[in-house]
Amino acid sequence: MIKSKFARAAVVAGASAALVVGMSSSAQAATDKRVNLPSGRGYMHFFDDGDVFQTCDTKADGHGVSGSLWSRNASGLVSRMWILDDGGDAGCDKKGQNIGQLASYQMRVVWNGGGGVELSNWFNE
């Protein structure tokens, strides 16, 4: 009876460790990150100190920039958390979002005048 309790505990601990290693191997540890649009049109920036995201439109071309934050949970489900638009005003737009270890996150930024989406690598803390 005692041996089976220890064996069960060892299996549970091993499975938990494998899950943590599996999640962390596909995501980078959070540090400041930045995703740039082509032709200097803008960017999205993550500031690890304070967990703040910033979207910046850097060209007065009549089109804004949209940044979005996506999350991927332990089962692999990916969903958009929010969108942060910038354009038409001075300065960049910012949003705080606590980044933890239970999911991985990806920034996606696009110029609203057309073209593709620029992506960050998946990351967490």
Side-chain angles (χ1 to χ4, degrees), residues 11-52:
V11 168
V12 170
S16 297
L19 178 61
V20 169
V21 169
M23 282 188 65
S24 63
S25 66
S26 64
Q28 298 177 353
T31 57
D32 285 8
K33 298 186 182 314
R34 184 170 161 152
V35 181
N36 296 304
L37 289 169
S39 304
R41 290 191 166 110
Y43 60 89
M44 186 171 181
H45 193 117
F46 169 67
F47 298 93
D48 185 34
D49 184 17
D51 289 359
V52 174

